[in-house]
Amino acid sequence: MLKSLLKSAFRAVEAVYNTPERKGARGERRVHNALSSVLDQKDYRVLSDLILPVSGGTTQLDHLVLSRFGIFVIETKNMSGWIFGGADQKKWNQVQKGGKRHSFQNPLRQNYAHVKAVQDILEVNEDILYNFIVFTGKAEPKTAMPDNVAWGLRELGKLIALRREQVLSDLQLNAYAKILRDKALDNTKAVRMEHLKNIEKKAAAKTRIPTGKSAGGEDLKSCPKCGAEMVKRTSRKTGNAFWGCTSFPKCKGTRKAV
């Protein structure tokens, strides 16, 4: 009887320990510790778990590395199994042992919103910002992946180290780090709960097709990359209609016209 109770208790603790949220938090801590220990503090500033205010709510960044060689915005995925996906796909798929399949948002698109938030707050050009994804678990890619997706901390370090052209001064680095720390909300339970509510609201809004009219009477939809409104346009090459982001050329998000 006691043995059975102990087994049940162990399973319960294990289930709590292995929730997606806790797995993600452990992966984020590993990345932060690795970046902080490997990257030279003279050249790099590592900020983690930043909740920043944006238009319509908040956004949460796993990691941000400020350096003279650019600004690296990093999204952590602590996952296992096989990963299927591509740069332009809305959803990626995870297949675990036994064939269990799970779909999740394309992390590159997810992190692009973080990149734009940093760009808007710091008022910098997008060409010095880098969108990086790192898988910290035992996940393996089963499709060709973009170059800015790293499989493990060592590969992430190599991606960061490839950028050696100086684009920012030490004065700018210190100023940007201060701006971000000042803008970041206190990472309290109340702030995290409010952030989750904002995510739920956005998710609910995405289930409904945004509608509206532009000044010219054209139908509008939301951009899959930055969330801005979209306007219906026609391709000069093919003559086919498509939805284009109103923030073009800053954002080149498109949707197929149905």
Side-chain angles (χ1 to χ4, degrees), residues 159-198:
L159 287 178
I160 293 175
L162 285 174
R163 276 70 186 179
R164 300 304 299 172
E165 180 182 353
Q166 183 170 336
V167 293
L168 296 172
S169 67
D170 290 336
L171 189 64
Q172 287 174 307
L173 286 185
N174 292 330
Y176 291 158
K178 185 178 186 306
I179 289 171
L180 289 166
R181 289 192 179 104
D182 290 345
K183 284 278 188 182
L185 304 178
D186 291 335
N187 202 335
T188 63
K189 184 177 180 180
V191 170
R192 291 195 297 271
M193 291 295 291
E194 186 62 31
H195 174 66
L196 290 175
K197 287 181 182 178
N198 290 331

Side-chain angles (χ1 to χ4, degrees), residues 6 16 25 42 67 70 107 112 125 139 152 166 169 172 191 198 205 207 254:
L6 287 173
V16 172
K42 294 179 181 179
S67 79
Y112 182 77
N125 292 328
Q166 183 170 336
S169 67
Q172 287 174 307
V191 170
N198 290 331
T207 61
T254 61

Side-chain angles (χ1 to χ4, degrees), residues 20-21 31 47 80 88 119 124 134 144 165 173 186 191 198 242:
E21 292 78 12
V31 174
L47 305 177
S80 59
D88 298 324
Q119 181 185 10
V124 295
V134 58
E165 180 182 353
L173 286 185
D186 291 335
V191 170
N198 290 331
F242 68 97

Side-chain angles (χ1 to χ4, degrees), residues 50-213:
L50 294 176
I51 299 179
L52 299 172
V54 295
S55 177
T58 54
T59 192
Q60 186 171 19
L61 280 65
D62 287 346
H63 311 281
L64 188 140
V65 177
L66 293 158
S67 79
R68 290 180 294 163
F69 316 112
I71 300 172
F72 306 90
V73 184
I74 303 164
E75 175 76 12
T76 301
K77 292 297 178 186
N78 187 12
M79 304 176 75
S80 59
W82 293 343
I83 305 299
F84 299 80
D88 298 324
Q89 288 182 264
K90 186 176 181 180
K91 293 284 186 179
W92 287 12
N93 290 303
Q94 173 195 32
V95 179
Q96 295 177 298
K97 288 183 179 179
K100 186 177 180 181
R101 182 181 292 268
H102 166 69
S103 294
F104 59 100
Q105 183 182 359
N106 180 339
L108 290 168
R109 290 191 176 191
Q110 179 184 358
N111 205 40
Y112 182 77
H114 302 156
V115 171
K116 294 300 292 182
V118 173
Q119 181 185 10
D120 291 342
I121 289 172
L122 298 182
E123 298 181 351
V124 295
N125 292 328
E126 192 174 355
D127 58 3
I128 68 167
L129 290 156
Y130 296 98
N131 179 351
F132 281 170
I133 309 300
V134 58
F135 283 82
T136 60
K138 296 181 180 179
E140 298 178 24
K142 283 297 176 179
T143 51
M145 288 286 175
D147 294 336
N148 52 340
V149 179
W151 301 88
L153 299 177
R154 182 176 295 181
E155 191 172 333
L156 174 63
K158 289 179 180 179
L159 287 178
I160 293 175
L162 285 174
R163 276 70 186 179
R164 300 304 299 172
E165 180 182 353
Q166 183 170 336
V167 293
L168 296 172
S169 67
D170 290 336
L171 189 64
Q172 287 174 307
L173 286 185
N174 292 330
Y176 291 158
K178 185 178 186 306
I179 289 171
L180 289 166
R181 289 192 179 104
D182 290 345
K183 284 278 188 182
L185 304 178
D186 291 335
N187 202 335
T188 63
K189 184 177 180 180
V191 170
R192 291 195 297 271
M193 291 295 291
E194 186 62 31
H195 174 66
L196 290 175
K197 287 181 182 178
N198 290 331
I199 293 176
E200 290 172 358
K201 287 180 182 178
K202 288 181 181 179
K206 285 182 179 179
T207 61
R208 302 185 298 270
I209 299 175
T211 58
K213 295 288 182 179

